[in-house]
Amino acid sequence: MDTSIEFQAIPRAAAGRSAGGRPAQQDDLVCFHDADEGTHLLVLADGLGGDGAGELASEGVIHVARQLWEQRLWKEQPGSLFLESLCQQAHAELHRRRVGLASGEPHSTVVAMLVRGGQVFWVHVGDSRLYRFQRGRLIGRTEDHSVAQLKRQRGELTESELASDPDQHKLLRALGGPDAPVVEHGCAMLRADQAFVLCSDGVWEQLTTQELGRLSRRRDQHLALQEALTSAVQRGGMHGDNVALIFARPGPDGWARRWRDNFLAAVRRAVVIRRPTSEQAAAMRNEV
């Protein structure tokens, strides 16, 4: 079992992955940040397909994300359109990577988030997830494109039973299939004290929503990430899945905003120039 963790970090986000109990690492991720534009792009992919195709697939998704970021298409396109383009171009890339393979078919999930202009846009295909927390309280998560999630919607499973259901790994959507993927979109205004979690199924099958919410609030995101991934690998054991995880808090912290507002209010009070009364004005003229 491989317990080593590969880390990435950018301002206000931290990411990591571990092979866990698998011989190959089929999870991949990348984080980008443009300070001048105040923009973040976070992308996570979980490959599948057998005979090394899964590793090839997830790497292909990240390759396309890196290309589009470097081309700065996120500046020219609306957020939802940019993320849709990322998914469709990644799908096409997986088809190109299939050529010449003796066996195996590269498929991948994807979950991606773009933060720009005070808004958050996200997409997902498959069972890699995005969670949104407000001060540690869950306010939303993506719904998996899996048979198990379909059973949950029908009332056949509880939320806590999803991770252990035998149909959990049967996906209804993925990149790299015969047809263009149907991409699920979401968007919201960026608020203070919000945290976002992007993860592969190897993480959310082992960690509860409450645990992810608690860890997402940690001021030291690197240590929070290390604790989360270590726990996921240990709980998965010798035959556990790959794990990949991103913690992000791209908005202002509530305490920082309140301190700033109080400070600015104090400054405004200190520099207020009071208009003299009529008697004071007359006295000033007489002195002159």
Side-chain angles (χ1 to χ4, degrees):
M1 183 171 66
D2 186 357
T3 59
S4 62
I5 300 173
E6 299 176 37
F7 290 101
Q8 293 185 29
I10 60 172
R12 305 193 71 80
R17 64 175 184 163
S18 178
R22 296 291 175 86
Q25 174 58 276
Q26 297 183 344
D27 290 0
D28 208 347
L29 49 75
V30 70
C31 303
F32 299 108
H33 176 238
D34 188 296
D36 294 335
E37 299 292 336
T39 300
H40 291 76
L41 175 64
L42 314 174
V43 185
L44 185 149
D46 181 0
L48 57 152
D51 294 333
E55 187 175 359
L56 190 69
S58 60
E59 195 278 332
V61 175
I62 301 307
H63 170 74
V64 170
R66 183 172 284 106
Q67 280 188 324
L68 296 185
W69 177 261
E70 292 173 352
Q71 293 168 8
R72 300 180 73 79
L73 293 181
W74 47 271
K75 289 190 66 176
E76 303 170 8
Q77 298 177 340
S80 295
L81 178 59
F82 171 77
L83 292 177
E84 178 74 26
S85 299
L86 190 159
C87 293
Q88 298 300 338
Q89 290 191 39
H91 173 74
E93 174 68 17
L94 300 197
H95 275 264
R96 286 190 290 271
R97 292 184 175 221
R98 179 184 301 173
V99 177
L101 290 181
S103 61
E105 295 186 1
H107 301 290
S108 181
T109 72
V110 65
V111 59
M113 184 176 87
L114 179 72
V115 182
R116 187 184 65 190
Q119 288 185 290
V120 186
F121 305 89
W122 63 86
V123 292
H124 84 288
V125 179
D127 63 352
S128 293
R129 291 182 176 182
L130 181 142
Y131 294 81
R132 295 182 293 133
F133 294 100
Q134 186 77 37
R135 300 184 184 92
R137 180 179 62 85
L138 181 70
I139 59 175
R141 78 155 175 85
T142 55
E143 291 193 350
D144 311 325
H145 301 135
S146 68
V147 174
Q149 183 68 54
L150 188 61
K151 291 164 70 174
R152 170 74 181 97
Q153 293 169 350
R154 292 172 176 169
E156 300 171 19
L157 295 175
T158 65
E159 184 70 21
S160 61
E161 292 173 329
L162 276 173
S164 59
D165 188 79
D167 290 330
Q168 155 52 25
H169 298 287
K170 296 179 181 178
L171 298 185
L172 301 175
R173 303 185 203 176
L175 302 182
D179 301 317
V182 178
V183 180
E184 199 86 24
H185 285 260
C187 66
M189 296 301 296
L190 184 62
R191 306 293 185 187
D193 290 324
Q194 276 192 347
F196 300 86
V197 176
L198 289 75
C199 63
S200 63
D201 62 335
V203 171
W204 66 257
E205 287 178 358
Q206 302 300 335
L207 299 181
T208 66
T209 299
Q210 291 74 21
E211 288 175 312
L212 289 173
R214 175 179 57 81
L215 289 166
S216 72
R217 296 194 70 188
R218 289 272 189 87
R219 191 166 301 280
D220 191 324
Q221 291 181 311
H222 179 88
L223 289 179
L225 193 74
Q226 186 171 32
E227 179 179 335
L229 290 175
T230 299
S231 296
V233 170
Q234 290 176 345
R235 293 176 190 179
M238 295 298 297
H239 303 289
D241 201 355
N242 303 147
V243 293
L245 175 64
I246 303 173
F247 284 141
R249 289 197 305 270
D253 291 330
W255 69 268
R257 182 190 60 183
R258 290 190 294 270
W259 183 92
R260 180 197 62 197
D261 292 345
N262 292 337
F263 175 78
L264 292 176
V267 170
R268 285 193 293 268
R269 288 194 297 270
V271 300
V272 166
I273 300 176
R274 297 184 181 278
R275 185 171 297 173
T277 64
S278 57
E279 292 81 1
Q280 289 172 329
M284 293 169 61
R285 286 194 296 271
N286 290 336
E287 290 177 2
V288 176

